[in-house]
Amino acid sequence: MKPVVWGVLSTAKIGVQHVIPAMLSSPLVELRAIASRTLPPAQEAARSLGIAQAYGSYEELLADPAIEAVYNPLPNHLHVPLTLQAAAAGKHVLCEKPVALSAAEAETLQTASARVHIEEAFMVRHHPQWRRARELVRAGRIGELRAVQVFFSYFNDDPGNIRNQPGIGGGALYDIGCYAVLAGRYLFESEPRRAVSLVDRDPQLGTDRLTSALLDFGAGRQLNFTVSTQSVRFQRVQVVGTLCRIELFIPFNAARGEQMHLALDEGGLLDGSSVTVETLPAADQYRLQVEAFCRRVRDGASPQAGGLEDAVAQARVIDALWLSERTGRWEAIA
């Protein structure tokens, strides 16, 4: 397969530390250029990462005729505007999550998605631990899936950090709660019907620093989660069935190229001594994500998951959770 020629919009940490190294390791990727709002940061990133071309504006990169696809890890409020610009320039777009700050905003990408591939970058979908968990659920290994429980937290109260700026899409729900929502949708393989949330906002920053939610998937199936930007660093996913429980120990920030583990617990002993641990193949979820995107660019196939319709459905859930914060009630998911 001919490598896909990529450009990266911005020198964001997730790109420089995770996605770009994954791109550079793949034979399916030719990473041609990186852009920033000014030239010096782009030049520094290009030098340190071995990227051929640096651009001092996003528009310059998008005007490069050699670039076929772009990775967009810009702050959340710039996801849709720059994705639209990239699509107008004929570039396919892998956009960081959340793809938009509302379902209505995500829907503005629909016309563009008919011309180019636009996908939301949930790398966890590609990791063997998540695929194995869903395989076990599908096979009936845990009986009937009843509940998915997610906890995801870290501590960051820096007012200068984009995650702590509410006007540009900061806060726990947008940053990490989206992973929890995806976990339920991915494992139940359906959409929730209604949702209720409880939100605690930082009085100075204005962002949600602790958000919990309950999502009703119908037929007695539930997702509950808590996410926080001002709690001790921790993450875990529990997948609970009528016969067995699956536990994912590092569900979201799986180290690149390392083996992950999941636990199977049939509930024999409450002290955990009856738990069996399964080791998954070593993997780089970012590389797997980018390579899957490259293959779709080359073969023109629609994604089985992660396409724009999926991103709109994801945004509808988050919309309902914000509405529930305001009303204090269960809200239907449109």
Side-chain angles (χ1 to χ4, degrees):
M1 177 183 137
K2 181 183 177 183
V4 174
V5 182
W6 285 78
V8 176
L9 299 176
S10 99
T11 57
K13 182 178 177 180
I14 189 171
V16 169
Q17 295 188 358
H18 299 288
V19 180
I20 292 175
M23 287 178 159
L24 293 171
S25 72
S26 173
L28 304 188
V29 173
E30 179 186 335
L31 183 50
R32 173 182 172 82
I34 187 166
S36 189
R37 289 174 295 177
T38 59
L39 188 56
Q43 289 175 323
E44 175 58 31
R47 279 194 299 269
S48 64
L49 293 164
I51 300 172
Q53 180 68 49
Y55 288 113
S57 73
Y58 308 134
E59 290 72 21
E60 286 181 274
L61 184 146
L62 296 178
D64 185 334
I67 292 175
E68 300 174 90
V70 299
Y71 168 58
N72 178 358
L74 288 161
N76 294 341
H77 71 302
L78 296 177
H79 286 175
V80 167
L82 267 297
T83 294
L84 285 171
Q85 286 186 43
K91 318 299 186 188
H92 305 282
V93 185
L94 179 63
C95 182
E96 264 307 326
K97 53 76 196 167
V99 77
L101 298 181
S102 69
E105 189 184 30
E107 287 169 349
T108 66
L109 298 170
Q110 287 176 327
T111 299
S113 71
R115 302 190 303 271
V116 297
H117 288 287
I118 299 174
E119 295 180 26
E120 190 169 29
F122 277 115
M123 72 291 182
V124 295
R125 284 190 238 254
H126 302 273
H127 198 285
Q129 65 178 339
W130 281 91
R131 298 202 164 193
R132 178 58 174 158
R134 189 163 68 174
E135 179 183 78
L136 290 167
V137 171
R138 286 174 170 175
R141 177 66 177 79
I142 68 169
E144 187 177 343
L145 176 59
R146 296 290 196 193
V148 176
Q149 184 181 63
V150 179
F151 200 102
F152 193 4
S153 60
Y154 60 83
F155 196 98
N156 181 342
D157 62 356
D158 174 11
N161 191 287
I162 60 171
R163 292 171 179 82
N164 293 320
Q165 298 174 19
I168 62 172
L173 182 56
Y174 278 136
D175 189 43
I176 52 180
C178 58
Y179 286 111
V181 171
L182 180 76
R185 297 178 58 245
Y186 181 86
L187 291 165
F188 285 122
E189 298 191 73
S190 64
E191 300 299 333
R193 300 177 178 183
R194 58 179 183 149
V196 65
S197 65
L198 179 62
V199 176
D200 174 54
R201 290 188 176 272
D202 185 292
Q204 280 76 48
L205 300 173
T207 52
D208 63 310
R209 61 184 176 185
L210 181 68
T211 294
S212 297
L214 182 62
L215 275 62
D216 175 13
F217 281 79
R221 301 173 302 164
Q222 300 175 6
L223 163 70
N224 68 85
F225 70 81
T226 295
V227 292
S228 176
T229 58
Q230 293 184 28
S231 297
V232 67
R233 188 183 185 201
F234 179 68
Q235 55 185 261
R236 200 74 89 236
V237 170
Q238 307 286 348
V239 185
V240 182
T242 53
L243 301 178
C244 187
R245 172 182 66 88
I246 302 170
E247 182 170 359
L248 300 179
F249 298 106
I250 311 177
F252 308 112
N253 297 129
R256 294 180 55 235
E258 293 188 12
Q259 292 178 323
M260 292 293 108
H261 310 275
L262 61 77
L264 288 166
D265 178 12
E266 296 181 350
L269 296 171
L270 294 178
D271 65 1
S273 58
S274 61
V275 170
T276 59
V277 176
E278 185 173 323
T279 301
L280 285 307
D284 180 344
Q285 59 189 348
Y286 296 100
R287 175 171 167 170
L288 293 172
Q289 171 183 250
V290 169
E291 290 183 338
F293 190 93
C294 288
R295 292 187 185 97
R296 284 190 286 274
V297 167
R298 285 288 174 256
D299 64 24
S302 298
Q304 293 181 339
L308 187 59
E309 287 306 313
D310 185 88
V312 171
Q314 176 86 6
R316 289 188 182 121
V317 179
I318 294 176
D319 283 352
L321 293 171
W322 289 135
L323 181 58
S324 178
E325 178 195 5
R326 297 193 295 271
T327 66
R329 300 191 302 264
W330 283 93
E331 297 295 340
I333 297 170

